[in-house]
C-alpha cells in the first residue's frame, strides 16, 4: 500500500509544530523519558519523536494515545467545541417557513 504525504499549509504546519511542542513539554513536566511514553503508548520512540515535532504523517490515534499516557486525553474534546463561525453559517442558511395560505370560507 502506497502512503501519501499530506499537503500541509504553512499555517497548519505551525499549529501542528506547536501542538507537538506542547506534548513534549507535558512529557518533560512529568519527568517521563521518551522510552517510557513510547512504551506506554504502544509506539516506537521514532513515532513519539515525530509527534513531538508535529508531523502530519503520524495518525491522529497515535497522538491520542500519547495524550492518554500523559493524562491529557480530555483535551481532544475541546477541539471545535466553540464553533462560532460554523454556527453563524448554519444560522444564515436557516429557511424561514412560509405561512400556509388562508382558507377560503
Amino acid at each position: 500500500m502506497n502512503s501519501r504525504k499530506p499537503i500541509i499549509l504553512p499555517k497548519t504546519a505551525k499549529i501542528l509544530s506547536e501542538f507537538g511542542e506542547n506534548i513534549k513539554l507535558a512529557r518533560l513536566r512529568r519527568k517521563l523519558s521518551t522510552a517510557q511514553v513510547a512504551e506506554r503508548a504502544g509506539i516506537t520512540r521514532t513515532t513519539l519523536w515525530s509527534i513531538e515535532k508535529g508531523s502530519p504523517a503520524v495518525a491522529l490515534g497515535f497522538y491520542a494515545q500519547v495524550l492518554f499516557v500523559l493524562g491529557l486525553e480530555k483535551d481532544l474534546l475541546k477541539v471545535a467545541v466553540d464553533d462560532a463561525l460554523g454556527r453563524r453559517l448554519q444560522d444564515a442558511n436557516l429557511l424561514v417557513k412560509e405561512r400556509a395560505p388562508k382558507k377560503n370560507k
Side-chain angles (χ1 to χ4, degrees):
M1 183 168 138
N2 294 335
S3 62
R4 295 186 311 161
K5 259 188 144 177
I7 298 171
I8 301 297
L9 298 174
K11 189 173 184 179
T12 305
K14 184 174 166 62
I15 290 170
L16 284 173
S17 177
E18 188 175 331
F19 183 41
E21 183 66 22
N22 290 344
I23 290 172
K24 180 178 181 178
L25 291 173
R27 176 181 61 79
L28 293 173
R29 282 191 290 269
R30 287 160 179 74
K31 298 186 186 326
L32 294 171
S33 71
T34 56
Q36 289 172 313
V37 173
E39 182 181 339
R40 293 174 188 177
I43 60 175
T44 65
R45 286 177 53 208
T46 304
T47 301
L48 179 58
W49 180 81
S50 294
I51 288 170
E52 291 183 351
K53 293 292 179 191
S55 172
V58 177
L60 181 60
F62 292 140
Y63 277 90
Q65 274 302 110
V66 171
L67 289 173
F68 178 79
V69 168
L70 298 174
L72 298 171
E73 69 277 2
K74 296 215 179 200
D75 284 3
L76 282 175
L77 297 174
K78 296 177 184 176
V79 175
V81 166
D82 186 26
D83 184 15
L85 174 61
R87 288 190 184 130
R88 284 197 308 262
L89 291 170
Q90 181 182 21
D91 291 345
N93 287 331
L94 292 179
L95 299 175
V96 177
K97 293 183 180 179
E98 293 184 28
R99 298 184 100 183
K102 292 185 180 180
K103 293 183 180 179
N104 291 336
K105 291 185 181 182

